[in-house]
Amino acid sequence: DAGVIQSPRHEVTEMGQEVTLRCKPISGHNSLFWYRQTMMRGLELLIYFNNNVPIDDSGMPEDRFSAKMPNASFSTLKIQPSEPRDSAVYFCASSFTGAAEKLFFGSGTQLSVL
Amino acid sequence: ELKVEQNPLFLSMQEGKNYTIYCNYSTTSDRLYWYRQDPGKSLESLFVLLSNGAVKQEGRLMASLDTKARLSTLHITAAVHDLSATYFCAVDLQGAQKLVFGQGTRLTINP
């Protein structure tokens, strides 16, 4: 398996623009997580899905952020409009919800909002 | 609110030495994870600890969990340069793999 695949690896955009981050989880995994990593706040869970259904989005910073999982093999995290404070590394992770299966992380998307 | 605290946050040590990273958490949980992150890279799972008294070892790393003390340790034996990385512990808040991460411990091992 290729692991969790995220795209793009790097994204540079201007304030106010829409940004879409993409994630393909590991085949067979039924849980998907979006995390954000910054120097100041560390790793924060934004939202997670189970069987394509959003279970907890309490970590989503504000209405500018939205996430979807239309099927078991694809998820998006959208920021509209983007702001400089959104600059961070965004990680997607997936797992099979069972006896505490470990999370597998993607390579991340480095987002820079100018 | 669950808080996960690691110490130290920065650790510089020499090859061949032993050291321990501590992870304290504030709410009852019996699932704890350790991850490694190299600079600019993703997170790699090291250990999953599922019960009180659990101990796991992989090479020069050994992790343990004391759920009563709400404490996990990551012990490094005879450190080598390749172990230089940032190490994170994470606690499963609700048994649904909703992980809350510690701040990370940046470990630098000098030849």
Side-chain angles (χ1 to χ4, degrees):
Chain A
D1 199 314
V4 178
I5 300 173
Q6 291 186 245
S7 64
R9 287 297 307 275
H10 303 275
E11 176 81 30
V12 180
T13 191
E14 292 187 344
M15 183 174 63
Q17 296 298 306
E18 177 180 296
V19 175
T20 299
L21 311 181
R22 297 173 176 81
C23 176
K24 175 179 169 55
I26 292 173
S27 177
H29 283 185
N30 63 346
S31 291
L32 183 139
F33 305 78
W34 283 100
Y35 281 87
R36 178 172 68 176
Q37 185 177 35
T38 61
M39 288 294 293
M40 291 296 295
R41 301 176 66 91
L43 276 156
E44 302 173 281
L45 177 64
L46 301 177
I47 186 172
Y48 79 93
F49 296 83
N50 186 255
N51 294 322
N52 311 339
V53 176
I55 303 300
D56 187 340
D57 65 355
S58 59
M60 296 286 261
E62 47 197 273
D63 292 345
R64 296 185 298 106
F65 285 69
S66 62
K68 294 182 179 180
M69 191 165 187
N71 56 62
S73 59
F74 184 66
S75 177
T76 59
L77 178 67
K78 185 176 294 186
I79 308 171
Q80 166 62 18
S82 58
E83 296 183 3
R85 59 189 168 130
D86 301 331
S87 298
V89 180
Y90 290 81
F91 287 104
C92 175
S94 73
S95 71
F96 180 76
T97 305
E101 290 287 333
K102 59 189 178 184
L103 267 61
F104 292 83
F105 282 78
S107 300
T109 295
Q110 174 78 59
L111 174 63
S112 298
V113 183
L114 307 178
Chain B
E1 179 187 349
L2 172 61
K3 292 184 179 180
V4 182
E5 295 185 346
Q6 292 182 230
N7 76 84
L9 299 183
F10 298 92
L11 178 57
S12 181
M13 54 192 292
Q14 293 205 319
E15 282 190 327
K17 301 292 187 182
N18 304 331
Y19 211 81
T20 301
I21 300 170
Y22 297 88
C23 175
N24 289 91
Y25 53 98
S26 60
T27 304
T28 301
S29 175
D30 58 3
R31 295 180 178 184
L32 190 135
Y33 302 73
W34 283 97
Y35 283 85
R36 167 182 172 148
Q37 186 178 36
D38 292 297
K41 303 293 186 181
S42 186
L43 283 84
E44 174 191 354
S45 178
L46 294 175
F47 300 109
V48 180
L49 302 169
L50 299 177
S51 61
N52 185 42
V55 177
K56 291 199 174 179
Q57 183 164 3
E58 178 84 24
R60 301 174 188 274
L61 300 177
M62 183 174 71
S64 65
L65 178 61
D66 182 343
T67 58
K68 295 179 181 178
R70 299 177 185 171
L71 170 70
S72 179
T73 61
L74 180 66
H75 187 73
I76 303 147
T77 302
V80 294
H81 179 68
D82 287 351
L83 291 178
S84 296
T86 299
Y87 292 85
F88 292 91
C89 65
V91 176
D92 188 342
L93 180 60
Q94 300 173 340
Q97 297 166 307
K98 182 180 177 181
L99 300 187
V100 177
F101 281 81
Q103 314 97 307
T105 296
R106 183 179 293 182
L107 174 64
T108 302
I109 298 170
N110 305 303

